Short mmCIF file of all heavy atoms in Angstrom, two decimals:
data_model
loop_
_atom_site.label_atom_id
_atom_site.label_comp_id
_atom_site.label_asym_id
_atom_site.label_seq_id
_atom_site.Cartn_x
_atom_site.Cartn_y
_atom_site.Cartn_z
N VAL N 1 1.07 7.58 6.42
CA VAL N 1 2.40 7.80 7.02
C VAL N 1 3.34 6.69 6.50
O VAL N 1 4.53 6.95 6.25
CB VAL N 1 2.30 7.82 8.55
CG1 VAL N 1 3.75 7.81 9.13
CG2 VAL N 1 1.59 9.03 9.00
N GLY N 2 2.85 5.45 6.37
CA GLY N 2 3.66 4.38 5.89
C GLY N 2 4.21 4.66 4.49
O GLY N 2 5.36 4.39 4.17
N ALA N 3 3.34 5.19 3.59
CA ALA N 3 3.78 5.58 2.28
C ALA N 3 4.77 6.69 2.29
O ALA N 3 5.75 6.72 1.52
CB ALA N 3 2.54 5.97 1.47
N LEU N 4 4.55 7.66 3.17
CA LEU N 4 5.56 8.76 3.33
C LEU N 4 6.94 8.20 3.73
O LEU N 4 7.98 8.63 3.20
CB LEU N 4 5.10 9.78 4.40
CG LEU N 4 4.10 10.90 3.96
CD1 LEU N 4 3.77 11.69 5.19
CD2 LEU N 4 4.71 11.73 2.88
N LYS N 5 6.93 7.28 4.72
CA LYS N 5 8.20 6.74 5.14
C LYS N 5 8.93 5.96 3.96
O LYS N 5 10.10 6.03 3.82
CB LYS N 5 7.97 5.78 6.30
CG LYS N 5 7.56 6.54 7.60
CD LYS N 5 7.08 5.59 8.65
CE LYS N 5 8.16 4.57 9.10
NZ LYS N 5 7.67 3.72 10.22
N ALA N 6 8.09 5.28 3.21
CA ALA N 6 8.69 4.50 2.10
C ALA N 6 9.27 5.45 1.03
O ALA N 6 10.43 5.23 0.57
CB ALA N 6 7.60 3.59 1.45
N VAL N 7 8.58 6.44 0.60
CA VAL N 7 9.13 7.34 -0.43
C VAL N 7 10.27 8.15 0.16
O VAL N 7 11.25 8.41 -0.59
CB VAL N 7 8.02 8.22 -1.01
CG1 VAL N 7 7.54 9.25 -0.05
CG2 VAL N 7 8.50 8.92 -2.32
N ASN N 8 10.18 8.49 1.40
CA ASN N 8 11.34 9.25 1.98
C ASN N 8 12.58 8.40 2.04
O ASN N 8 13.65 8.91 1.92
CB ASN N 8 10.95 9.73 3.42
CG ASN N 8 10.00 10.93 3.44
OD1 ASN N 8 9.87 11.60 2.42
ND2 ASN N 8 9.45 11.19 4.52
N ARG N 9 12.40 7.11 2.32
CA ARG N 9 13.56 6.23 2.32
C ARG N 9 14.20 6.13 0.93
O ARG N 9 15.41 6.25 0.78
CB ARG N 9 13.16 4.85 2.79
CG ARG N 9 14.32 3.81 2.88
CD ARG N 9 13.91 2.56 3.55
NE ARG N 9 15.04 1.62 3.56
CZ ARG N 9 16.01 1.60 4.52
NH1 ARG N 9 15.94 2.50 5.47
NH2 ARG N 9 16.98 0.71 4.45
N ILE N 10 13.36 5.94 -0.09
CA ILE N 10 13.92 5.88 -1.42
C ILE N 10 14.56 7.19 -1.85
O ILE N 10 15.63 7.21 -2.43
CB ILE N 10 12.73 5.53 -2.44
CG1 ILE N 10 12.21 4.08 -2.12
CG2 ILE N 10 13.25 5.57 -3.89
CD1 ILE N 10 10.91 3.76 -2.84
N ARG N 11 13.90 8.28 -1.45
CA ARG N 11 14.42 9.61 -1.73
C ARG N 11 15.77 9.83 -1.05
O ARG N 11 16.70 10.40 -1.67
CB ARG N 11 13.44 10.65 -1.27
CG ARG N 11 13.78 12.08 -1.51
CD ARG N 11 12.72 12.97 -0.92
NE ARG N 11 13.04 14.39 -1.00
CZ ARG N 11 12.39 15.36 -0.35
NH1 ARG N 11 11.46 15.07 0.47
NH2 ARG N 11 12.77 16.59 -0.50
N SER N 12 15.86 9.45 0.19
CA SER N 12 17.14 9.65 0.91
C SER N 12 18.30 8.92 0.25
O SER N 12 19.41 9.47 0.10
CB SER N 12 17.05 9.25 2.38
OG SER N 12 16.79 7.89 2.55
N PHE N 13 18.06 7.71 -0.15
CA PHE N 13 19.12 6.87 -0.80
C PHE N 13 19.49 7.49 -2.16
O PHE N 13 20.65 7.37 -2.59
CB PHE N 13 18.65 5.42 -0.98
CG PHE N 13 18.91 4.60 0.23
CD1 PHE N 13 18.14 4.70 1.36
CD2 PHE N 13 19.98 3.71 0.27
CE1 PHE N 13 18.39 3.98 2.51
CE2 PHE N 13 20.24 2.92 1.43
CZ PHE N 13 19.42 3.05 2.52
N ALA N 14 18.57 8.19 -2.85
CA ALA N 14 18.86 8.82 -4.11
C ALA N 14 19.93 9.96 -3.91
O ALA N 14 20.63 10.20 -4.91
CB ALA N 14 17.56 9.40 -4.73
N TYR N 15 20.01 10.49 -2.72
CA TYR N 15 21.04 11.48 -2.51
C TYR N 15 22.42 10.97 -2.64
O TYR N 15 23.36 11.76 -2.88
CB TYR N 15 20.87 12.06 -1.09
CG TYR N 15 19.90 13.25 -1.01
CD1 TYR N 15 18.53 13.11 -1.07
CD2 TYR N 15 20.37 14.55 -0.80
CE1 TYR N 15 17.64 14.11 -1.01
CE2 TYR N 15 19.53 15.61 -0.76
CZ TYR N 15 18.14 15.44 -0.82
OH TYR N 15 17.28 16.48 -0.79
N LEU N 16 22.60 9.69 -2.57
CA LEU N 16 23.89 9.08 -2.76
C LEU N 16 24.39 9.18 -4.21
O LEU N 16 25.57 9.00 -4.52
CB LEU N 16 23.88 7.60 -2.35
CG LEU N 16 23.62 7.37 -0.84
CD1 LEU N 16 23.38 5.90 -0.59
CD2 LEU N 16 24.78 7.84 -0.03
N ALA N 17 23.44 9.53 -5.12
CA ALA N 17 23.83 9.69 -6.53
C ALA N 17 23.90 11.18 -6.93
O ALA N 17 24.22 11.49 -8.05
CB ALA N 17 22.77 9.00 -7.39
N ALA N 18 23.54 12.05 -5.95
CA ALA N 18 23.58 13.50 -6.22
C ALA N 18 24.86 14.16 -5.65
O ALA N 18 25.12 14.01 -4.46
CB ALA N 18 22.36 14.12 -5.58
N LYS N 19 25.61 14.81 -6.49
CA LYS N 19 26.80 15.49 -6.06
C LYS N 19 26.54 16.90 -5.65
O LYS N 19 25.69 17.60 -6.24
CB LYS N 19 27.82 15.48 -7.24
CG LYS N 19 28.30 14.10 -7.65
CD LYS N 19 29.30 14.15 -8.78
CE LYS N 19 29.79 12.78 -9.15
NZ LYS N 19 30.75 12.80 -10.28
N GLY N 20 27.15 17.32 -4.54
CA GLY N 20 27.09 18.72 -4.16
C GLY N 20 25.89 18.99 -3.22
O GLY N 20 25.65 20.15 -2.91
N LEU N 21 25.13 18.00 -2.86
CA LEU N 21 23.99 18.19 -1.99
C LEU N 21 24.24 17.58 -0.61
O LEU N 21 24.81 16.49 -0.48
CB LEU N 21 22.72 17.56 -2.53
CG LEU N 21 22.17 18.11 -3.88
CD1 LEU N 21 20.92 17.33 -4.32
CD2 LEU N 21 21.84 19.60 -3.69
N ASN N 22 23.88 18.32 0.43
CA ASN N 22 24.06 17.82 1.78
C ASN N 22 23.08 16.61 1.97
O ASN N 22 21.89 16.73 1.65
CB ASN N 22 23.75 18.87 2.84
CG ASN N 22 24.84 19.89 2.87
OD1 ASN N 22 26.01 19.60 2.51
ND2 ASN N 22 24.54 21.09 3.32
N PRO N 23 23.59 15.50 2.49
CA PRO N 23 22.71 14.34 2.63
C PRO N 23 21.69 14.54 3.71
O PRO N 23 21.90 15.25 4.70
CB PRO N 23 23.64 13.22 2.97
CG PRO N 23 24.80 13.88 3.66
CD PRO N 23 24.91 15.23 2.93
N PRO N 24 20.51 13.87 3.56
CA PRO N 24 19.51 13.88 4.67
C PRO N 24 19.94 12.85 5.72
O PRO N 24 21.03 12.21 5.62
CB PRO N 24 18.25 13.47 3.93
CG PRO N 24 18.74 12.52 2.85
CD PRO N 24 20.07 13.14 2.42
N TYR N 25 19.06 12.61 6.65
CA TYR N 25 19.32 11.50 7.60
C TYR N 25 18.81 10.17 7.05
O TYR N 25 17.72 10.09 6.51
CB TYR N 25 18.66 11.79 8.99
CG TYR N 25 19.50 12.75 9.78
CD1 TYR N 25 19.32 14.12 9.67
CD2 TYR N 25 20.49 12.30 10.63
CE1 TYR N 25 20.13 15.02 10.38
CE2 TYR N 25 21.31 13.15 11.31
CZ TYR N 25 21.10 14.52 11.21
OH TYR N 25 21.92 15.37 11.93
#
């Protein structure tokens, strides 16, 4: 679960570079 949380955090911040996609939480 700790690894899931870490990759999800990195993944969520990557949305800041993606145009046209609704951001996650």
